[in-house]
Amino acid sequence: MADTKEESRIGVFICHCGTNIAGSLSIEDVKKYAETLDGVVVADDYQYMCSTPGQSKIIDAIKEHNLNGVVVAACSPRLHEPTFRTATEEGGLNKFRFEMANIRDQNSWVHMHDWEGATEKAKDQVLIAVAKCRMLEDLQPKSVPVEHAALVLGAGIGGMQAALDLASAGIKTYLVEKLPTVGGRMSQLDKTFPTLDCSQCILTPKMVDVGRHPNIELRTYTEVEKVEGYIGNFTITLRKKARGVLDPTEAEARGYVGGGCNGCGDCAEVCPVIKPNPFEMGMAPRKAIYIYHAQVMPLLYTIDFDSCVKCGLCVDACGPEKRAIDLESVDTFEEIKVGTCILAIGYDYIPIEEKREWGYKQFDNVITGLEFERLICASGPTTGHLIRPSDGQTPMKVGFVLCAGSRDNTGGVAKPYCSRFCCMYCLKHAHQIMEKIPGAVPYLFYMDIRAFGKMYEEFYYRVQSEGAKFIRGRVANILEDPTTKNLTVYTEDTLLGRPVAMEMDMVVLAAAVQPKADAEKIRQMFGVSKSQDGWLLEAHPKLNPCGTTTAGIYLAGVCQGPKDIPDTVAQAEGAASAASIPIHTGEVQLEPYFAQCNEEICAGCGMCLNQCPYGALALVEKNGRTVMEVTEAKCKGCGTCGGFCPGGAIKMQHFTSPQICAQIDAFLLKGEDY
Amino acid sequence: MTDENWNPKIIAIICNWCSYAGADLAGGARIQYPPDVRAIRVMCTGRVDPLFIMKAFQDGADGMLISGCHFGDCHYLEGNYKCAKRMFLVKTLLKNIGLNDKRLRMTFVSASEGAKWGEVMEDVVKTVKELGPSPIKKYQR
Ligand SMILES: Cc1cc2nc3c(=O)[nH]c(=O)nc-3n(C[C@H](O)[C@H](O)[C@H](O)COP(=O)(O)OP(=O)(O)OC[C@H]3O[C@@H](n4cnc5c(N)ncnc54)[C@H](O)[C@@H]3O)c2cc1C
Ligand code: SF4
Ligand code: SF4
Ligand code: FES
């Protein structure tokens, strides 16, 4: 053990980080101070410690001075601990003989105008790091095998792309979708900007591919119930919701050979219960036994048991050959084992009706962008005829309210961020109106047009030249004429600097988007953080946009933040690639921060047992005594048991009580024993 | 008893996944705060043994901060609940030995709350400065 047996020989290396550190505190003073510390045999500094020459300094010093500990005072261990641990190892030391002092992110960057204060703090940070370093011990990382399978949660375009990539790379992939069909929001769209390809035409082939890829295990109408384990070895419990309809395989399992749902729809024809179809944004009906639309994948009906009256008409209509309907079906559970997971759960609109000033759900002719998509789509409720909900007339003047609830700091349901795709879809909608309805004019009420993508600005010019009108100003409110049901849009034209009121036949709100309602639950189950705005938090905004801080969990699509289809697909491919690395490597190294029981001290009281959230602790009989035992495979190294044991019998590797006390003492006593 | 030049000694024990990341983010955003707090990183606030806190005050700390993830966000599910429970115990102990329990503070700062970390730093330093040096120092040999 480092504390008693061997004399400490520590090297301290201080990084300038260009002027990031050196510009706010005295590197020289810190270095001189480090040289005086107990156990320090060499102190050095360098422009960029993380560079190759910087790391060579560490490697050489270990050899030259026969070091047994390394301290680097630089940026955050969250960024560069792995780098310097590798250098420590290359120098011939165990890589856990390394400790870092965060004098950049938690010092020079936050005390930029306090040279003295920052220098004093940096000295203390080095002192505290050296105190810990003196007591570090050799540890062996634990290698665990990685399950050769992955989970993708959510089967929108993001999830489907990620699953296809993983599956094509030879990995068994569970694609789990909570709705009865894959496709996500993209399947609700008519055309896609800026190329105007038909959304279904480019999406359907992918939907079909996920259905028949031999490596994809598709689970629709299924939710995640429980997540256990860690990278390499997640055990995930799925809840397959009662669907009331058997697919051919399930039918065969019940002995109905050749039976099961073939998607004929005879059942829905006879079903007496009528409900709004959420896929059509409630603008078309569906029955209690339904499919969302003709291209669903899998083509399999579903019973909405919340509205089903169990009359049994569908069972008869389905007939004795198929026997596809089981009105008594119940939720079933399945446990799967995967090595890595990708979350791709997408987004929702904010409840835009709560912005009362724009009149959604008060005035018939105020609709949202998604409703517009369904109304303009040939397979939609009006077979592609854009009509006013109030009277079925064709609108000739259509207003678009951009940033409806986005870039809005007024609180409530409004969001401060930009929803990113609304500018572009409004341009798309404007184009579609002018193309479909001769003489119709779209009026776009906007703050800025953000046409940032490839060929987007060009599309903007095109829509301008086609005759769309642009009024720069945030819409203050919208009022309805009760007889004509026409709408008057009030805003200030900020380019002309005067208020305007314009009468429209119809208004489309480009409502802001927000995380799915259950994103919070999913996030906590998978141990992922959220950004300030509620979207799932990436590991690093620039350098690790697909990863999360929880090893083995990755993000794809809008659930990480608003993005359009090209960006969603790109991120999905990135996430799939990242998620496949541990699987293809076959093993991962876990940091060996396990709890250990000091059996001589352990009184066998068992009070620690329920401290552990993972059930890693148990009481066992050893040499005639009852003592606690840790199951290393279950321990994740939080230290909660170690923080609790009244006798101090639990040793938390790399965060031992003597190490932490030494850090406290070092700072407060500065080497004196009071 | 506070004089202008007195700098309080404050130790923070903060969890790796939320508060430490939040503190790093404050750095990235160049949020400026007073430099009096010295942080010790642990994996989770569940690791915080009441002993560490008593030890720090015995050594003459003027204040202590424990900061972790928000409830429900702990990387290890419930370490922060366990820690928060212990804080009640320790605060009672502090009062019993005649220390103002405001010297010990627990906060919850997530990985995306850089600005909040700055506010916590300001506030902790301000509170401890108002309370003045720890009376325990007087009793030390
Ligand atoms: C009106 C409108 C028009 C648009 N037009 C365009 C356009 O022309 N071009 C363009 O590039 N982009 C456009 N977009 C943006 C586009 O919709 C998104 O970029 C894209 O849908 C993002 O895909 P996704 O997979 O991330 O999310 P989604 O499409 O939302 O898919 C998420 C999937 O996850 C499922 N899910 C959610 N929660 C769970 C759970 N807990 N468990 C299991 N599954 C779950 C959902 O049911 C869904 O199937 C438009 C958006 C709107 C609103
Ligand atoms: S049993 Fe339910 S799903 Fe079937 S026809 Fe009757 S109401 Fe419709
Ligand atoms: S450190 Fe202790 S409480 Fe935490 S996971 Fe390991 S055994 Fe359980
Ligand atoms: S990991 Fe932050 S409090 Fe547990």
Side-chain angles (χ1 to χ4, degrees):
Chain A
M1 280 226 242
D3 44 351
T4 50
K5 311 238 164 56
E6 63 185 346
E7 177 207 351
S8 295
R9 301 185 56 79
I10 294 170
V12 177
F13 303 88
I14 302 152
C15 184
H16 297 220
C17 196
T19 55
N20 277 305
I21 296 172
S24 300
L25 54 84
S26 167
I27 303 275
E28 199 48 38
D29 285 4
V30 177
K31 187 169 91 175
K32 280 202 191 114
Y33 177 71
E35 279 165 352
T36 66
L37 296 175
D38 199 16
V40 173
V41 294
V42 56
D44 202 351
D45 63 297
Y46 191 64
Q47 277 287 316
Y48 293 103
M49 279 310 299
C50 58
S51 65
T52 311
Q55 294 188 54
S56 303
K57 271 185 180 289
I58 300 175
I59 298 167
D60 296 344
I62 294 174
K63 293 178 180 147
E64 192 186 325
H65 299 278
N66 191 24
L67 301 182
N68 57 16
V70 173
V71 168
V72 174
C75 52
S76 174
R78 293 172 54 85
L79 186 66
H80 268 318
E81 187 174 67
T83 316
F84 296 123
R85 276 187 174 169
T86 308
T88 305
E89 198 161 38
E90 272 182 46
L93 281 181
N94 179 283
K95 68 177 182 180
F96 295 96
R97 293 293 188 118
F98 167 76
E99 182 66 16
M100 204 154 171
N102 186 340
I103 62 167
R104 190 189 72 177
D105 307 45
Q106 296 187 19
N107 189 339
S108 65
W109 277 354
V110 288
H111 314 306
M112 295 174 81
H113 316 295
D114 184 356
W115 184 270
E116 303 273 295
T119 306
E120 277 313 302
K121 178 167 171 178
K123 286 182 187 172
D124 285 340
Q125 287 177 304
V126 168
L127 169 76
I128 290 169
V130 168
K132 174 151 181 185
C133 190
R134 275 203 293 268
M135 307 187 70
L136 290 175
E137 298 168 353
D138 288 0
L139 296 174
Q140 298 314 321
K142 193 175 157 172
S143 234
V144 293
V146 177
E147 200 69 45
H148 202 83
L151 165 81
V152 177
L153 189 64
I157 181 60
M160 288 196 295
Q161 184 65 50
L164 285 169
D165 282 13
L166 286 167
S168 303
I171 295 164
K172 177 169 174 174
T173 305
Y174 294 90
L175 178 57
V176 175
E177 166 60 53
K178 80 171 169 190
L179 297 181
T181 175
V182 303
R185 292 276 173 220
M186 189 176 165
S187 56
Q188 291 179 288
L189 309 181
D190 179 37
K191 298 218 163 103
T192 54
F193 58 75
T195 48
L196 302 172
D197 333 49
C198 141
S199 189
Q200 281 288 4
C201 312
I202 55 178
L203 186 69
T204 312
K206 292 224 189 259
M207 293 169 61
V208 173
D209 284 352
V210 300
R212 64 162 176 235
H213 199 295
N215 284 335
I216 293 185
E217 294 280 339
L218 183 60
R219 300 285 185 274
T220 51
Y221 213 46
T222 300
E223 290 181 25
V224 170
E225 185 77 8
K226 194 157 107 195
V227 180
E228 290 169 300
Y230 45 84
I231 181 169
N233 297 279
F234 291 104
T235 303
I236 291 168
T237 311
L238 302 176
R239 172 196 289 269
K240 201 161 185 272
K241 291 180 282 184
R243 187 166 201 153
V245 177
L246 307 177
D247 66 22
T249 328
E250 288 164 335
E252 199 161 318
R254 295 202 185 175
Y256 316 151
V257 181
C261 179
N262 64 7
C264 67
D266 292 348
C267 51
E269 235 153 75
V270 298
C271 178
V273 180
I274 297 178
K275 286 273 151 187
N277 183 355
F279 178 80
E280 301 292 0
M281 305 307 288
M283 297 182 297
R286 68 158 167 79
K287 298 294 186 66
I289 186 162
Y290 67 97
I291 52 173
Y292 277 161
H293 56 92
Q295 282 100 342
V296 293
M297 170 69 233
L299 178 52
L300 187 61
Y301 275 72
T302 303
I303 297 180
D304 164 16
F305 280 109
D306 288 337
S307 56
C308 168
V309 295
K310 301 214 173 175
C311 62
L313 287 174
C314 56
V315 180
D316 297 340
C318 190
E321 267 91 62
K322 286 177 277 167
R323 295 177 71 174
I325 297 173
D326 174 5
L327 291 178
E328 301 311 317
S329 88
V330 290
D331 292 3
T332 53
F333 295 89
E334 179 187 12
E335 213 171 68
I336 60 170
K337 289 196 178 298
V338 297
T340 54
C341 309
I342 295 177
L343 307 182
I345 56 174
Y347 67 98
D348 274 329
Y349 268 156
I350 60 168
I352 192 69
E353 62 276 15
E354 289 184 29
K355 292 292 254 181
R356 303 281 301 163
E357 60 270 37
W358 296 323
Y360 181 62
K361 288 197 180 162
Q362 303 164 59
F363 309 142
D364 291 345
N365 295 329
V366 176
I367 64 170
T368 64
L370 275 172
E371 286 166 354
F372 183 94
E373 294 282 347
R374 296 317 301 150
L375 288 176
I376 201 85
C377 181
S379 65
T382 56
T383 59
H385 298 287
L386 183 68
I387 51 166
R388 306 205 317 158
S390 66
D391 53 12
Q393 295 297 310
T394 303
M396 297 308 285
K397 290 172 85 179
V398 183
F400 288 88
V401 179
L402 277 70
C403 300
S406 302
R407 306 173 65 202
D408 180 339
N409 284 317
T410 57
V413 296
K415 302 293 177 187
Y417 50 78
C418 164
S419 293
R420 282 191 70 177
F421 39 71
C422 353
C423 280
M424 287 306 296
Y425 75 61
C426 288
L427 292 173
K428 170 182 76 177
H429 292 170
H431 166 84
Q432 285 175 294
I433 290 176
M434 294 183 289
E435 185 183 62
K436 281 211 167 177
I437 310 172
V441 185
Y443 293 83
L444 283 79
F445 298 92
Y446 72 105
M447 303 218 291
D448 303 283
I449 294 290
R450 296 189 163 172
F452 53 85
K454 190 169 178 178
M455 295 305 287
Y456 287 13
E457 190 71 13
E458 292 83 341
F459 186 70
Y460 178 22
Y461 297 150
R462 174 178 169 187
V463 175
Q464 279 176 326
S465 65
E466 285 169 344
K469 302 276 182 269
F470 292 81
I471 301 101
R472 188 169 184 276
R474 191 191 272 287
V475 172
N477 66 327
I478 296 173
L479 292 180
E480 183 191 62
D481 179 330
T483 39
T484 61
K485 299 280 178 187
N486 286 351
L487 303 156
T488 308
V489 176
Y490 295 90
T491 184
E492 184 196 342
D493 187 325
T494 57
L495 296 181
L496 298 177
R498 65 168 185 233
V500 288
M502 300 175 81
E503 190 168 318
M504 297 286 145
D505 299 333
M506 185 176 201
V507 169
V508 182
L509 302 179
V513 296
Q514 67 180 11
K516 279 269 176 209
D518 59 354
E520 189 66 10
K521 193 180 94 199
I522 299 290
R523 175 179 90 67
Q524 294 189 344
M525 264 199 267
F526 284 89
V528 174
S529 304
K530 64 176 170 190
S531 316
Q532 207 132 22
D533 48 21
W535 301 101
L536 301 183
L537 184 67
E538 62 285 344
H540 190 283
K542 288 145 206 143
L543 303 179
N544 197 348
C546 303
T548 68
T549 49
T550 298
I553 313 283
Y554 308 87
L555 307 174
V558 179
C559 63
Q560 180 258 336
K563 52 181 73 66
D564 56 12
I565 296 163
D567 286 0
T568 296
V569 170
Q571 192 184 26
E573 302 212 276
S577 153
S580 70
I581 293 170
I583 294 176
H584 284 314
T585 315
E587 60 169 33
V588 283
Q589 296 214 328
L590 302 183
E591 287 178 314
Y593 302 159
F594 308 116
Q596 284 180 337
C597 178
N598 184 338
E599 286 163 15
E600 277 172 32
I601 303 178
C602 176
C605 66
M607 306 237 300
C608 53
L609 265 50
N610 69 7
Q611 290 282 310
C612 178
Y614 306 106
L617 308 177
L619 287 181
V620 293
E621 291 294 320
K622 271 192 191 164
N623 310 324
R625 284 181 63 219
T626 306
V627 290
M628 185 276 275
E629 189 179 69
V630 184
T631 307
E632 257 187 25
K634 287 188 184 169
C635 173
K636 291 205 196 183
C638 62
T640 305
C641 56
F644 175 79
C645 176
I650 301 174
K651 174 175 174 187
M652 288 311 308
Q653 301 201 120
H654 210 64
F655 293 91
T656 68
S657 296
Q659 286 166 358
I660 293 171
C661 289
Q663 289 175 289
I664 294 172
D665 286 350
F667 166 53
L668 293 169
L669 304 179
K670 302 256 156 90
E672 304 156 30
D673 7 275
Y674 55 128
Chain B
M1 72 160 87
T2 53
D3 77 86
E4 284 295 298
N5 302 320
W6 173 66
N7 292 321
K9 282 177 175 266
I10 304 170
I11 288 207
I13 304 185
I14 62 183
C15 87
N16 179 60
W17 301 100
C18 288
S19 288
Y20 199 91
D24 280 353
L25 189 69
R30 308 296 193 278
I31 286 163
Q32 303 296 302
Y33 55 79
D36 304 274
V37 180
R38 307 290 180 259
I40 293 174
R41 180 172 70 120
V42 291
M43 294 315 277
C44 173
T45 55
R47 177 68 190 95
V48 178
D49 190 327
L51 175 90
F52 302 157
I53 299 169
M54 299 315 283
K55 175 103 189 113
F57 282 115
Q58 184 192 10
D59 286 355
D62 299 305
M64 261 205 111
L65 169 71
I66 311 296
S67 192
C69 311
H70 288 276
F71 289 137
D73 279 4
C74 172
H75 197 71
Y76 309 94
L77 311 173
E78 49 197 44
N80 49 1
Y81 286 103
K82 303 271 163 66
C83 178
K85 268 180 157 176
R86 289 173 206 156
M87 288 307 112
F88 291 111
L89 169 81
V90 184
K91 277 185 167 266
T92 314
L93 273 174
L94 292 182
K95 277 191 265 189
N96 283 345
I97 61 171
L99 270 186
N100 190 322
D101 68 346
K102 281 196 193 140
R103 291 185 187 275
L104 171 63
R105 173 95 175 262
M106 182 168 191
T107 58
F108 308 94
V109 177
S110 81
S112 62
E113 293 176 327
K116 182 171 174 192
W117 178 255
E119 285 162 23
V120 165
M121 289 292 100
E122 293 274 357
D123 204 55
V124 165
V125 172
K126 184 168 158 266
T127 309
V128 174
K129 278 197 168 166
E130 276 165 14
L131 290 168
S134 162
I136 290 192
K137 281 182 186 161
K138 284 197 300 225
Y139 304 112
Q140 290 169 359
R141 271 181 285 145

